[in-house]
Amino acid sequence: MSIARSELPGLDARIGYLDGDEAEFPTLQVVLAHAAEERAARFEHARAAGLDVKEPDGPVAVVVPLLAGPDGALLRRIRQAVMDSRVAADLTDVLGPHPLLAEALHVRLSEAGLARADRARLFTVATAADGIILASVGGDEAVQAAGITGMLLAARLAVPVMAAALDQDGSIAAVAEQLRGSGSQQLALAPYLIGPEIDPGLIEEAAKEAGCSAAEALGPYPAIGKLALAKYTTALGIAPPQPQGTPVR
């Protein structure tokens, strides 16, 4: 949210949780209801001040799922939460696939010592992987979408990248076997996840299953905030600040 606000000053950005409460972690329905109440209050205040204003039209809010790729089960829950709120809100697509997510994956791998930070620099990382497993959740659709970002990551690293599903038994091991069968000797697991949508233990278990090390989830990487903002501005049809990549150091 901080990143999105810095890109678009004045943006009213809020967090709504699927599994929240009424206090510290407000549910999506509560956040949408508050947004609707505040919009109505601003309109009534303007009318009370004698201003000739029209009742606002358009969506009360734009809901951006904080997901790197499609996850049918979570998206159905988000969609249902929006409907249950009875607030006119637009729901955007997930953040990926996108080149900025490939950049974020590269950074997380380099931070873990599993990839060179910059292909243009003539140095090696002793633990650099020669094959990457891109781990997603959401079934076959998520694997296909992750594969698109995986191709972009492969172009950055010049090593094979294959997507697999954390939530499908045997998927990680099968992809690890396929990569090793094609000549990769040192694999790495790159979670194609923002982070809070799964139990962190799943990543550790998947890395053990593949017999390799794992990078951290994407988390609060700057590109995530920029992509979320881009979804918001696209939904409203306004010109967004163009998301720019961050040089990998």
Side-chain angles (χ1 to χ4, degrees):
M1 283 201 314
S2 297
I3 293 165
R5 289 186 184 124
S6 68
E7 294 285 322
L8 188 63
L11 175 67
D12 182 5
R14 313 179 188 198
I15 300 176
Y17 297 85
L18 282 177
D19 299 307
D21 52 40
E22 299 301 316
E24 186 178 2
F25 304 106
T27 64
L28 179 56
Q29 295 98 314
V30 167
V31 170
L32 289 173
H34 286 170
E37 291 170 0
E38 289 178 12
R39 175 160 144 171
R42 287 194 299 269
F43 173 65
E44 290 302 324
H45 180 75
R47 290 186 61 184
L51 299 176
D52 183 16
V53 293
K54 295 181 179 179
E55 189 168 352
D57 55 6
V60 170
V62 175
V63 177
V64 181
L66 196 61
L67 296 170
D71 184 328
L74 279 177
L75 288 172
R76 282 192 294 273
R77 290 183 62 197
I78 294 172
R79 192 172 295 110
Q80 188 62 51
V82 172
M83 293 174 60
D84 291 345
S85 73
R86 299 182 181 276
V87 172
D90 286 349
L91 178 62
T92 74
D93 291 333
V94 296
L95 303 184
H98 196 279
L100 287 179
L101 293 179
E103 172 196 295
L105 289 163
H106 184 177
V107 169
R108 293 296 183 242
L109 285 164
S110 66
E111 288 172 346
L114 300 172
R116 289 184 298 172
D118 189 340
R119 285 179 57 193
R121 297 180 185 177
L122 300 179
F123 69 87
T124 61
V125 176
T127 56
D130 59 3
I132 307 294
I133 303 170
L134 203 55
S136 65
V137 292
D140 291 339
E141 183 184 6
V143 169
Q144 292 175 6
I148 298 173
T149 299
M151 289 189 291
L152 300 171
L153 179 62
R156 294 178 68 97
L157 299 179
V159 301
V161 178
M162 295 185 64
L166 280 168
D167 50 355
Q168 288 184 349
D169 289 342
S171 178
I172 298 291
V175 167
E177 183 179 356
Q178 189 173 348
L179 282 168
R180 289 193 173 100
S182 64
S184 297
Q185 299 299 314
Q186 190 158 306
L187 304 184
L189 185 82
Y192 190 58
L193 306 161
I194 306 301
E197 67 269 35
I198 65 160
D199 182 345
L202 284 178
I203 297 175
E204 184 178 347
E205 291 173 10
K208 289 180 180 179
E209 183 180 347
C212 67
S213 299
E216 295 290 332
L218 297 174
Y221 187 72
I224 304 300
K226 293 177 181 179
L227 286 173
L229 177 61
K231 292 294 181 184
Y232 166 79
T233 54
T234 298
L236 294 181
I238 60 179
Q242 292 300 312
Q244 301 294 323
T246 302
V248 181
R249 300 299 184 193

